[in-house]
């Protein structure tokens, strides 16, 4: 079974500052993928970034980077230079790589509020 | 490209009524999914279709049925709605690649209330 834990129900960050959203995971799969999604107040789920368990480097996508620490089973999302439009719910998710591993397992999310 | 589209956006049902949620994708993806999102929780998988012509149960399939109509369309049916099915429903699609890096892209969601 896979499990995602997001321990920060809510976070505040000043505009233009960087913020780290925590995510820890548990799985017995030797190969897996970690994802972050953004859900603004409008409700849609927007894919942000992906990290494979065997990737040697941390993933980056524009202002988003994933701080992947495999030994600690953590996959924290770092948002640099926060903008007001970054205010949203953020979900960490994972899936295995085995046959039939189609399900994304989600955490409960972190609500980020960017303060002007 | 519209990506993943869902209809309707909002729906109110009475207990016992039936309805079908529609989903379509224009990304030529092989795999499609239905999730539900309840307050304070992440998404949970209801059903998925790994490829055209196949469907399988996810984590919370009870009370639902699905149809993969063709490669583009994947519908979710509630035969006899119950208040416990009040939720936001998301459809998603992915290329269907082997391995863990098969990214799922989501539609805008359907907000369903069962009275």
């Amino acid at each position: 079974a896979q499990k995602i834990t997001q321990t920060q129900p809510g976070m505040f960050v000043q505009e233009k500052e960087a913020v780290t959203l925590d995510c820890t995971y548990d799985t017995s799969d030797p190969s897996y993928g970690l994802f972050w999604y953004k859900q603004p107040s409008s409700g849609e789920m927007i894919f942000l970034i992906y990290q494979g368990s065997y990737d040697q480097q941390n993933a980056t996508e524009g202002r988003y980077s994933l701080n992947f620490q495999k030994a600690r089973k953590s996959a924290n999302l770092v948002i640099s230079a926060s903008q007001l439009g970054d205010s949203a719910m953020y979900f960490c998710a994972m899936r295995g790589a085995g046959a039939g591993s189609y399900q994304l397992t989600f955490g409960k999310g972190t609500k980020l509020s960017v303060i002007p | 490209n519209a990506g993943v589209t869902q209809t309707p956006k909002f729906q109110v049902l009475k207990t016992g009524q039936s309805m079908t949620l529609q989903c379509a994708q224009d990304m030529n993806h092989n795999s499609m999914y239905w999730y539900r999102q309840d307050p304070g929780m992440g998404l949970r998988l209801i059903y998925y279709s790994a490829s055209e012509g196949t469907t399988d149960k996810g984590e919370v399939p009870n009370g639902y049925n699905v149809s993969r109509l063709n490669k583009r369309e994947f519908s979710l049916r509630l035969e006899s709605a119950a208040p416990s099915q009040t939720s936001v429903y998301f459809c998603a699609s992915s290329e269907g690649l082997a391995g863990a890096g098969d990214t799922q892209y989501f539609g805008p969601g359907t907000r369903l209330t069962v009275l």
Side-chain angles (χ1 to χ4, degrees):
Chain A
Q2 299 172 340
K3 185 177 180 181
I4 295 284
T5 302
Q6 295 180 253
T7 57
Q8 307 154 312
M11 290 275 290
F12 290 90
V13 65
Q14 205 76 36
E15 193 179 7
K16 300 181 184 177
E17 297 291 313
V19 63
T20 298
L21 306 183
D22 294 341
C23 172
T24 58
Y25 62 90
D26 192 22
T27 181
S28 56
D29 289 332
S31 178
Y32 50 88
L34 295 152
F35 302 80
W36 277 91
Y37 287 85
K38 173 184 179 181
Q39 186 175 41
S41 58
S42 52
E44 69 270 32
M45 294 288 289
I46 302 167
F47 165 70
L48 295 178
I49 196 166
Y50 163 77
Q51 177 84 43
S53 60
Y54 289 112
D55 293 344
Q56 294 296 313
Q57 294 193 323
N58 287 341
T60 60
E61 288 286 351
R63 294 186 299 109
Y64 304 109
S65 60
L66 203 152
N67 183 1
F68 181 49
Q69 299 187 46
K70 194 170 182 178
R72 300 179 68 178
K73 294 190 174 181
S74 74
N76 299 339
L77 177 70
V78 180
I79 305 174
S80 63
S82 296
Q83 302 172 355
L84 296 178
D86 294 334
S87 293
M89 285 290 292
Y90 288 82
F91 291 94
C92 180
M94 75 178 299
R95 64 175 287 178
S101 296
Y102 291 94
Q103 177 170 335
L104 274 174
T105 298
F106 284 82
K108 293 186 177 182
T110 295
K111 184 175 183 179
L112 178 66
S113 300
V114 180
I115 305 166
Chain B
N1 282 355
V4 180
T5 57
Q6 293 181 234
T7 55
K9 285 186 167 47
F10 301 92
Q11 184 71 48
V12 179
L13 292 178
K14 294 181 180 178
T15 298
Q17 287 185 317
S18 63
M19 79 160 296
T20 300
L21 281 63
Q22 306 287 354
C23 173
Q25 52 90 10
D26 64 1
M27 296 179 282
N28 200 34
H29 283 172
N30 290 304
S31 300
M32 297 186 73
Y33 313 81
W34 277 104
Y35 288 86
R36 62 178 287 174
Q37 182 181 29
D38 299 304
M41 300 187 69
L43 279 65
R44 292 181 294 168
L45 184 66
I46 304 171
Y47 271 93
Y48 66 94
S49 171
S51 61
E52 187 178 357
T54 70
T55 60
D56 283 288
K57 296 178 180 179
E59 181 184 353
V60 289
N62 291 347
Y64 305 96
N65 285 301
V66 291
S67 295
R68 183 74 183 267
L69 304 170
N70 48 56
K71 190 172 185 179
R72 289 186 63 247
E73 299 173 288
F74 189 38
S75 63
L76 178 72
R77 183 161 178 83
L78 287 69
E79 291 291 352
S80 179
S84 61
Q85 294 178 304
T86 293
S87 190
V88 181
Y89 291 85
F90 287 96
C91 178
S93 71
S94 70
E95 290 186 71
L97 304 172
D102 187 37
T103 301
Q104 296 181 19
Y105 296 92
F106 286 80
T110 294
R111 188 174 295 273
L112 175 66
T113 301
V114 183
L115 302 175

